[in-house]
Amino acid sequence: MRLDKYLKVSRLIKRRTVACDACNAGRVSVNGDIKKASYEVKPGDRIEIRFGERSQSVEVLSVAEPLKKEDAASMFKLI
């Protein structure tokens, strides 16, 4: 699954266009490297998202597309 789509489906970022913009601006890194929105996310990847002064780090647990909001939280683990 693409990085921008994963960020949207997992509800880490609300909209896919915002996720794509964040990736293009270099605010999203995977395993320590800044990646483009087209990067294919795999289980075990560590994603860091920088929002101004703060940042959020998560570990990818699954890349399935959940149907419910409650299922989205099981896609990642906060670090």
Side-chain angles (χ1 to χ4, degrees):
M1 180 181 299
R2 289 173 51 104
L3 179 57
D4 58 344
K5 186 171 182 180
Y6 179 82
L7 294 172
K8 189 256 184 214
V9 169
S10 65
R11 299 189 195 307
L12 290 168
I13 297 180
K14 283 192 174 193
R15 293 181 185 85
R16 188 169 177 179
T17 55
V18 175
C20 188
D21 291 342
C23 293
N24 291 336
R27 293 183 302 194
V28 179
S29 61
V30 179
N31 299 326
D33 297 324
I34 295 174
K35 299 292 184 184
K36 293 184 177 183
S38 62
Y39 175 79
E40 288 293 320
V41 177
K42 301 173 292 300
D45 283 346
R46 293 180 182 260
I47 300 173
E48 181 180 356
I49 308 165
R50 289 177 296 286
F51 302 102
E53 295 291 319
R54 62 186 178 96
S55 67
Q56 183 176 23
S57 296
V58 297
E59 182 178 347
V60 177
L61 299 178
S62 70
V63 292
E65 293 190 39
L67 299 175
K68 299 179 183 174
K69 183 178 180 180
E70 296 81 28
D71 296 338
S74 66
M75 293 182 69
F76 61 89
K77 175 177 70 170
L78 291 174
I79 300 174

